[in-house]
Each structure stands twice: as C-alpha cells, then as structure tokens.
Amino acid sequence: MRIVVLLSAGLHPVSGRTVLQRLEAQAIRLGRSLMDDAGDEILGLHAGPDPSRVADAFGYGLDRMICCRIADGDDPVPSLSAALADLAPDLVLAGRRSQGADETGLVPYQVARDLGLPLAADAAGLMRQGFRIVVDQALPKGVRRRSAIGLPALVSVHSAAPPPLPFVFAAMRRGRADERPGIAAPVAPRDLEERPHRPRARIIGQGGGSAAERLKAATETAKAGGDVLVDPSPDEAARAVVDYLRRIGALGPAPR
Amino acid sequence: MTRPRIDPRQAREAHRVISVGRSRFDLAAKPVGVSRRPRRDPRRERAELMVADAGRMRLDRARPSGMAQPLPQREAAAAAPSVRIIENPVFLVLVIADPIENGTLSAVDRQALGAARALAGGEGGVVLCAEALTEVAGRAGADRLITAPAGLSDPETRAVALEELVGLLQPRHVILPETADGGDLARRLAVRLGEPLFAGAEQVSPRGLVRRVRGRQVDQRAMPPRIVTVEPDMVAPHSGIAHEARPLEVDVRWPGAMVTPAERIRPDAASLSLAEADFVAAVGNGISDLEAFRSLVAALGATPGASRMVCDAGLMPRAAQVGASGTVLSADCYLALGIAGAPQHLQGIAGCRHVVAVNTDLHAAMIERAELAIVADAQAVMPAILRLLAEEERQA
Ligand SMILES: Cc1cc2nc3c(=O)[nH]c(=O)nc-3n(C[C@H](O)[C@H](O)[C@H](O)COP(=O)(O)OP(=O)(O)OC[C@H]3O[C@@H](n4cnc5c(N)ncnc54)[C@H](O)[C@@H]3O)c2cc1C
Ligand SMILES: Nc1ncnc2c1ncn2[C@@H]1O[C@H](COP(=O)(O)O)[C@@H](O)[C@H]1O
C-alpha cells in the first residue's frame, strides 16, 4: 500500500516562521499505523518554492518526500493532482486547513475531484480492511461516526487523531526531498482587502436582543424556575436526582 | 417637582427632649409637629417612566410618574403584524442546516440564519433547508422552509442533492455553518459548482464579509461570494420579528438509500475532555469527600469537573476547572455538588440546558440557576445516589 501525505507549509501563528502543521504530523502517524507489510510505503507531497519548509516531516516519521517546485502564491492544486496521478497512491491523507495561505480547506476537495477519489473528512482514526478503509469521523462532543470507503481514497485528518510521533532530529537532518518542477498556476488577483486583526467578542448563550438584554444575560443568573427540594432525606434527594437525570436522558435507563 | 424645603434647625428642634442641664435630642423618636416626607421607591418610579416596547430601554422623564401607559405612537407599533411576510422576494438566500440533533435547530444553525437575514435585508427571502419541519424556523428568521429527508449521513449524496437544489432555486448566497458536517458540505458544494468559498465568516453584512486568516493575525474582507460558511458563535442569530417559514415544495431527487452506512459511536465519558463532554458532574468547596465524588462520577458515567476553589486547593487537576478562567462547557447536563455559583463559574455553564444543584444554602446562586435544586448536605446525598444505583443493579 502506498500512502501519500499532503504537506502544506504552515506559518506559525506567533512567530510567523514556516513550520509543519501539527495536523499533518498527526496524518503521518495515522498513515504509519496502517503500514503492516514490508512493501508498504509512506511519502510526503508538497507544492511550493522551498522543500526545507516542510523538512520537519522527516523527523515525524516520513521516509520520502516529493516537492513540486512552484512559485510562492501559485495554486498548488494542478501540481498536486498531476503528481498524485503519477504516483497512483492507495490512500491520500491531508490536513483540514492550511495555515498562512488562503486557509479555505478547499485543496483536498479539489484534488479529490481532479483524481475522482472519494473523500472522507475529519478522520480521528483509521483501520484497514482489505481494499477498504474504515474511517472514524470526529463529531462534536467526542462522538465518532464510523463508515467504510473503498480504496483508493482521500482522507482529511482531525485534531482528535492520535498525537504525532516523537520528533527525531537525526531523521530530519538525513531526509532529502526529491524535487521536480510543478505546474505554474498563478491565481487571478481577487477583490480582497486585508487589515490587522481586530478581536471580536464571541456570543455567549442565545445572543441577540438589545444591549441591555445581553448585559443582563451575561451578568445575572437566569431563574430556571425549576423544582426546589428543601431538606429532603438523602434517599429522597438521591431518588429525585436519579429520576431527573433519567428523564432528560443523561443517565441510561434503570437496569432490569 | 417641588418638595417643601426643610429647615434643619427647626427639624432638629422638633426632636428636643425636655431635660435639665445640657440639651438632649431623641433623633429616633417621631417628631410631633413636623411630618416626615413619604419614602420614595426609586425603582418603582423608574419602572413607571419606562417606555414599553421601545426595543431598547428608554425612560420618558417628561411624563409625570404614576402614568404607566405607553406613549400613543408605541401603541401603533404594537399593533403591527407579529409575522413578517415577504411575498415576492427579489432574491433568495439558502441556508442549509446541519442534521437535526435533538428535534430543534442548533445554536449554530440559528446563527447561520441570522447571517442569512443580514444578507437578505428587507426584500430578499431566506430559504431554510432542514431535516425536520421545525416550528422554530420562522422565529429564527426563515421565510421559506424546505424539508430534506432525515438520515442522509453520506456527505457526497447530500452534496449531489444540494447541487440540484441550488440549480433549481438559483439563490444569491448559500450559507452553511462551519461545523463538521456543514463545513464539509460547503466545500463539496464549492468544488462541484467550481465556485469560490468564503470559509468561516465572523462578520456578515451585504457590504462585506470578514474572516481571520494567517495564524489569526490578519482580517480578510471581501464582498460576499455565493458560498459562505459562518464561524460558530460569532454572528448573532436573528432576534427581530418572526418570519413566515412557509413550506416550499421543490422537485429535488433526494437520494433514497445511503451509499455507505454509518454507525455512531458514543464516547467513553471518562476519556473525554471537559469541553467535549455531554454530561458533567462538578465538585465545589462544599465537598470534602472526593473519593465519594470520584465513585459517583464513575457510577453516573459523567465527566468530572470542579470549581476554581477546588482546583486552587490542588484537589482536582486544573484541566477540570469549569468557568470563565477554566473550560466553558458545551455539555447538555450539569450536576453541581456544593458549588455556590459565582458569576465566573456560571459563565462556564451558560450553555447547559439542564442543571441540577445540591447545596446546603437555599440562597446560593447555583440553586437559582438549577432546574432541579436540592437543598441538602451533598456529602450525604452522594453516598445515597451510589446506594440507589447499586440497589438497582442488584435488583436487575
Ligand atoms: C478573575 C476570576 C476568575 C475566576 N474564574 C473562576 C472559574 O473559572 N471557575 C470557578 O469555579 N471559579 C472562578 N473564580 C472563583 C469564583 O469567584 C468563586 O470563588 C468560586 O467559584 C467559588 O467556588 P465554590 O462555589 O466551590 O466555593 P464556595 O464559594 O466556598 O461555595 C461553597 C458552597 O458549597 C455549599 N456547601 C457547603 N457545605 C456543603 C455541603 N455539605 N453540602 C452541599 N453544599 C455545601 C455552600 O453553601 C456554598 O454555597 C474566579 C474568580 C476570579 C476573581
Ligand atoms: N502547497 C501544498 N502542498 C501540499 N499540500 C497542500 C498544499 N496546500 C494545501 N495542502 C493540503 O491541503 C490541506 C488544506 O489546505 P487549504 O485548502 O489550503 O486550507 C492542507 O492541510 C494540506 O494537507
């Protein structure tokens, strides 16, 4: 099985230096956990001007890397699709969103469309089942949605996936990216205005309403108007709590 | 408003007690001659000056207090229709709700509808496409309602149906929430239609959308494209007058069966992080028996939390702290044992739908916030719950 991890050069949110995104390091680990055969291989694919930007990936467990040379700011999709068509991998792993470029998270979807691959989003765990792969999709509140898709496929990784492998400095120093020319695809300038970030308040609770109502909601305790049991015996209190939790479904039904 | 002036010397004189030697005054006694002025209730006076249904709080100080009717022009406003009907919308804004979780629209879906309302303005129509016919749709700002069949969990089939829907309605904008399902669907749709996507809008108006990029240090502003996703908890939901939510029949071939059957796996409560947990039981300063608390949490299958007092004392890890400086919960149910309910703590549970409190103090803020409040010693209630659960186990 051949696994390709798409590596974008992310900008560190504080220092602004290029770093490997944590999610992509997690994708490398997920990919490695699927390899059980000596013939299996995992390689990285990056489209950008400088492979050293993603060299950290070697330290996180990557064996080989291919870098398609394109100018800074070019659209990486044509180069990535062409390289993947060439490599014919069984599984392509990608992050959710890049950091520092456009950050739309569209690249994996465009690549999947170009190659005609099925795409599964937000994988927190992967399992191999012959020619299929079982994807545990991470949903809010820790719920996982398990489904199977046929290989070859493209899977994007969620931050709930296992943490990256420990970083090995020597492996990072040893790694050499295999460079090849990419496909130049300048992006048409778009009507975007950029300005320094100004933090905006999150809305807490229901939101909306007048300023006075929002202030009230944030500072005053809303009366729930619920039941109050004053000085019940411990057993009465326990019964009331357990019954209530059962009624709202927080606690499973009584065993019988 | 004029009140009689008071001469302080005369007022004092009225308190004089007849005595020999030095002069004495009994200030507590009610003076005989001088009448006390009636006590005022400033809160009531203020409430009487309040202008009813003014949208925001307004005081009409010109009105003599004691005249509690609203102003006449406000009455005309109150007589306006309670449902806003847009008969022939100039353009449409389509909102795709996430799969319905507990029978109603989620907060994020409401925010997406709020964003759609902002883009639709007065003459555009907002079309909501949701799984179940939800009666709250109108209040959340939807003019039309399309019912999608439930249980379409395969994202690609949803995207195919949605593409057809977009082709039929030709909406000016398609708005989705930037959640696991909504974000995925928006990208599939953008790729299928070959159109750009504005991902994670934090500010929405017809004049432009704003989102954070570049490690969140830069704001990007652009005119709204067709496909937009809305960042959770950043855009206010619609709060004005309810819209019509008229059911709309569309001729879309919703796919029948799912291509890949999906299975939902519930997480193990103990391994969940506090922010992700659905049911949290928390311990406060009123509890000293943490062993009982730990076994209670295990027996209930809850995720453990704590107030800051307990974490500061080192009795629970900092990661368990609930509140403004700890974790803001997304839980549905919260059980508070011996927690007073300081404002900083209550901020952390603002989103919890069901709150149960056990506290010895009837006047604790937590008791007021709770849906089920028990004024009792939590140290005794905890073993009682454990006994009850064990009893049930034994009888089964
Ligand atoms: C900047 C700032 C940020 C803060 N952030 C947070 C935060 O994020 N989270 C947080 O929790 N706090 C926070 N606090 C602290 C907060 O103000 C309160 O001090 C704290 O929440 C109180 O914790 P408590 O309710 O456990 O303790 P207490 O206030 O001591 O209350 C104990 C309660 O237990 C009851 N009780 C006593 N004995 C029993 C018994 N046997 N059975 C049942 N009930 C009993 C008492 O009646 C009382 O109501 C913050 C404070 C500041 C200044
Ligand atoms: N230049 C690139 N080279 C390789 N992979 C990329 C590149 N840009 C984006 N990706 C992949 O696509 C994901 C989403 O990126 P984006 O659509 O730019 O937000 C990233 O996490 C990467 O896995």
Side-chain angles (χ1 to χ4, degrees):
Chain A
M1 178 147 123
R2 173 178 277 177
I3 301 170
V4 173
V5 184
L6 298 185
L7 304 170
S8 67
L11 293 185
H12 191 277
V14 177
S15 71
R17 287 178 23 172
T18 49
V19 288
L20 183 75
Q21 277 191 60
R22 181 179 159 90
L23 215 53
E24 287 158 16
Q26 285 176 300
I28 296 174
R29 172 172 193 169
L30 267 187
R32 285 209 84 91
S33 70
L34 294 176
M35 298 178 13
D36 46 13
D37 196 311
D40 290 352
E41 66 168 339
I42 184 164
L43 50 122
L45 179 60
H46 172 66
D50 183 5
S52 71
R53 290 184 178 181
V54 286
D56 277 356
F58 290 117
Y60 285 108
L62 209 58
D63 305 330
R64 259 178 75 199
M65 184 170 0
I66 292 170
C67 176
C68 303
R69 224 177 235 289
I70 55 171
D72 225 351
D74 270 14
D75 185 7
V77 175
S79 316
L80 294 177
S81 298
L84 284 173
D86 217 24
L87 289 166
D90 298 295
L91 181 64
V92 184
L93 296 174
R96 260 158 76 90
R97 286 214 206 173
S98 60
Q99 250 174 41
D102 231 6
E103 302 189 8
T104 52
L106 272 177
V107 168
Y109 291 84
Q110 287 166 335
V111 169
R113 174 203 53 194
D114 288 353
L115 298 172
L117 295 179
L119 187 148
D122 293 343
L126 291 177
M127 255 182 312
R128 204 166 141 188
Q129 253 181 16
F131 293 106
R132 279 146 60 92
I133 187 149
V134 179
V135 181
D136 284 350
Q137 186 193 355
L139 296 182
K141 297 195 174 169
V143 179
R144 303 280 178 263
R145 186 157 61 198
R146 179 167 289 183
S147 54
I149 51 173
L151 293 175
L154 196 152
V155 175
S156 73
V157 176
H158 189 266
S159 54
L165 294 170
F167 183 71
V168 181
F169 184 71
M172 189 268 275
R173 290 291 301 272
R174 236 184 355 255
R176 274 284 159 273
D178 173 1
E179 285 188 61
R180 52 177 78 168
I183 301 169
V187 229
R190 272 167 313 147
D191 206 4
L192 283 177
E193 189 189 326
E194 296 202 339
R195 45 173 88 157
H197 173 58
R198 189 171 63 84
R200 277 171 285 271
R202 292 194 160 262
I203 50 177
I204 300 180
Q206 279 299 309
S210 67
E213 282 164 17
R214 289 201 307 273
L215 180 68
K216 200 167 161 220
T219 52
E220 285 181 17
T221 41
K223 251 216 168 69
D227 301 336
V228 182
L229 260 66
V230 180
D231 274 337
S233 75
D235 288 313
E236 273 169 23
R239 180 47 64 207
V241 171
V242 170
D243 283 351
Y244 179 80
L245 293 179
R246 291 240 158 86
R247 199 166 70 240
I248 62 170
L251 197 61
R256 57 186 78 249
Chain B
M1 196 166 64
T2 52
R3 348 188 193 91
R5 295 196 61 174
I6 295 174
D7 178 357
R9 287 194 195 76
Q10 193 191 340
R12 195 175 165 82
E13 209 47 48
H15 286 284
R16 181 181 288 280
V17 177
I18 300 161
S19 64
V20 251
R22 61 191 177 93
S23 43
R24 278 186 56 210
F25 300 90
D26 181 5
L27 293 179
K30 198 166 163 111
V32 246
V34 186
S35 80
R36 281 259 180 111
R37 103 181 109 86
R39 292 197 65 174
R40 293 172 52 220
D41 180 356
R43 286 195 192 78
R44 207 199 63 231
E45 281 172 16
R46 199 175 141 94
E48 280 171 357
L49 290 180
M50 205 102 82
V51 177
D53 55 60
R56 65 195 166 82
M57 190 175 79
R58 262 192 63 206
L59 300 179
D60 180 14
R61 293 190 198 276
R63 184 166 35 148
S65 104
M67 195 186 87
Q69 299 95 12
L71 292 179
Q73 74 263 30
R74 291 292 160 193
E75 263 174 326
S82 59
V83 173
R84 179 99 183 263
I85 296 175
I86 298 181
E87 201 55 58
N88 295 309
V90 180
F91 60 92
L92 294 178
V93 181
L94 177 64
V95 177
I96 316 290
D98 274 350
I100 299 266
E101 276 286 311
N102 34 26
T104 180
L105 283 177
S106 70
V108 193
D109 289 336
R110 280 167 205 274
Q111 291 158 12
L113 275 166
R117 270 271 56 103
L119 289 180
E123 61 246 33
V126 173
V127 185
L128 172 69
C129 174
E131 268 183 8
L133 272 179
T134 47
E135 57 275 13
V136 289
R139 246 178 303 131
D143 295 306
R144 304 285 187 274
L145 187 58
I146 295 173
T147 314
L152 280 185
S153 71
D154 181 57
E156 197 58 40
T157 51
R158 274 186 89 199
V160 172
L162 187 57
E163 188 187 4
E164 198 173 333
L165 184 61
V166 170
L168 257 165
L169 293 178
Q170 291 297 335
R172 187 181 285 183
H173 304 291
V174 183
I175 316 262
L176 295 104
E178 180 69 57
T179 51
D181 282 317
D184 182 43
L185 193 58
R187 291 179 175 84
R188 287 180 200 265
L189 185 69
V191 167
R192 293 190 80 87
L193 295 173
E195 288 187 27
L197 163 75
F198 196 88
E202 293 192 345
Q203 224 176 34
V204 176
S205 87
R207 277 162 285 113
L209 307 175
V210 180
R211 70 188 191 111
R212 295 206 272 187
V213 290
R214 224 55 60 69
R216 330 221 111 173
Q217 289 166 358
V218 179
D219 276 351
Q220 224 175 40
R221 190 187 175 89
M223 287 305 287
R226 181 123 91 141
I227 307 173
V228 177
T229 64
V230 178
E231 193 72 12
D233 293 342
M234 296 307 290
V235 181
H238 174 65
S239 62
I241 169 172
H243 282 248
E244 188 186 8
R246 184 194 306 172
L248 190 65
E249 287 300 322
V250 283
D251 195 19
V252 171
R253 277 172 292 118
W254 299 104
M258 290 177 282
V259 176
T260 49
E263 165 197 0
R264 285 173 92 85
I265 304 168
R266 296 246 146 240
D268 169 27
S271 64
L272 269 183
S273 75
L274 208 51
E276 276 191 324
D278 203 27
F279 173 25
V280 175
V283 57
N285 207 16
I287 302 263
S288 52
D289 186 2
L290 281 156
E291 257 337 293
F293 172 70
R294 288 205 186 90
S295 32
L296 179 70
V297 164
L300 291 175
T303 307
S307 78
R308 180 161 169 179
M309 296 292 264
V310 177
C311 296
D312 280 354
L315 299 171
M316 290 283 282
R318 183 62 73 194
Q321 182 181 321
V322 174
S325 53
T327 307
V328 176
L329 302 185
S330 64
D332 199 41
C333 176
Y334 186 65
L335 170 61
L337 298 160
I339 297 179
Q344 295 93 350
H345 189 86
L346 291 180
Q347 274 174 25
I349 59 166
C352 297
R353 262 208 305 168
H354 306 289
V355 177
V356 185
V358 185
N359 199 310
T360 43
D361 179 8
L362 175 60
H363 303 289
M366 203 60 175
I367 292 279
E368 197 171 325
R369 168 72 171 77
E371 230 175 35
L372 173 66
I374 293 181
V375 182
D377 185 358
Q379 304 269 26
V381 173
M382 286 195 299
I385 296 177
L386 283 172
R387 254 182 282 131
L388 180 64
L389 292 175
E391 180 84 6
E392 278 177 353
E393 196 74 38
R394 204 156 42 77
Q395 277 173 3

